[in-house]
């Protein structure tokens, strides 16, 4: 948004008009995202994924017998909602790190919106490749005989 002088009609250099107090519209997006995540966690917390028939089976596990990086994620979320962090970590440790990462990112997002600044998450190729490599190592190790302690 450009700032324009009302008398001359020329653009001004003062950008404080666009960085004022947060609008309700600006805060509605992070609040909406939080509501969706809370709703999903509430559903998983109330419908136990340890009971067969409530959720579909992982297709990779069903057809190949290989546990993907997401296997155990619903069990992890269910345990996390009920406050059992150790069981959540045992079911899927990267998922728990993802929950905590989301909480930190959401908090930063709300603070930046409240201050009138946009959220910028600049993950470069090194960060993305590192994250992918860590998930690949996790997947390989959890499917090897000595990595059975990582299975959900």
């Amino acid at each position: 948004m450009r700032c324009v002088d009302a008398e001359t009609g020329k653009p001004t250099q003062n950008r404080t008009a666009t960085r004022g107090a947060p609008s309700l519209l600006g805060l509605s997006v992070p609040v909406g995202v939080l509501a969706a995540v809370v709703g999903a966690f509430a559903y998983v917390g109330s419908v136990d994924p340890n009971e067969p028939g409530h959720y579909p089976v992982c297709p990779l596990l069903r057809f190949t017998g290989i546990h993907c990086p997401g296997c155990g994620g619903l069990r992890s979320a269910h345990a996390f909602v009920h406050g059992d962090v150790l069981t959540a970590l045992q079911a899927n440790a990267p998922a728990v790190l993802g929950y905590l990462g989301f909480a930190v990112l959401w908090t930063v997002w709300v603070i930046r919106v409240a201050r009138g600044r946009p959220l910028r998450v600049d993950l470069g190729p090194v960060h993305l490749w590192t994250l992918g490599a860590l998930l690949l190592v996790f997947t390989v190790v959890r499917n090897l005989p000595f990595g059975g302690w990582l299975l959900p």
Side-chain angles (χ1 to χ4, degrees):
M1 178 187 270
R2 290 184 356 180
C3 294
V4 179
D5 188 330
E7 294 176 11
T8 63
K10 295 182 181 179
T12 63
Q13 299 291 25
N14 186 0
R15 301 254 180 207
T16 57
T18 61
R19 291 192 183 207
S23 67
L24 289 177
L25 181 62
L27 286 173
S28 66
V29 176
V31 169
V33 169
L34 181 65
V37 170
V38 166
F41 269 81
Y43 180 78
V44 173
S46 64
V47 180
D48 190 359
N50 295 306
E51 298 293 324
H54 293 294
Y55 299 99
V57 178
C58 172
L60 185 67
L61 180 62
R62 171 178 266 166
F63 295 121
T64 66
I66 296 173
H67 292 273
C68 76
C71 282
L74 289 174
R75 284 179 233 137
S76 174
H78 181 78
F80 194 81
V81 166
H82 290 278
D84 192 356
V85 178
L86 292 178
T87 301
L89 284 167
Q90 196 279 328
N92 193 322
V96 174
L97 294 176
Y99 311 150
L100 298 176
F102 171 79
V104 169
L105 183 64
W106 186 85
T107 303
V108 169
W109 186 14
V110 168
I111 290 170
R112 291 192 61 88
V113 167
R115 292 181 178 171
R117 296 180 174 167
L119 176 68
R120 287 192 56 141
V121 179
D122 291 329
L123 294 177
V126 172
H127 297 105
L128 296 175
W129 279 103
T130 302
L131 181 62
L134 288 172
L135 284 175
L136 179 65
V137 168
F138 172 75
T139 303
V140 169
V141 170
R142 83 185 312 197
N143 285 291
L144 293 174
F146 64 85
W149 57 278
L150 291 172
L151 292 176

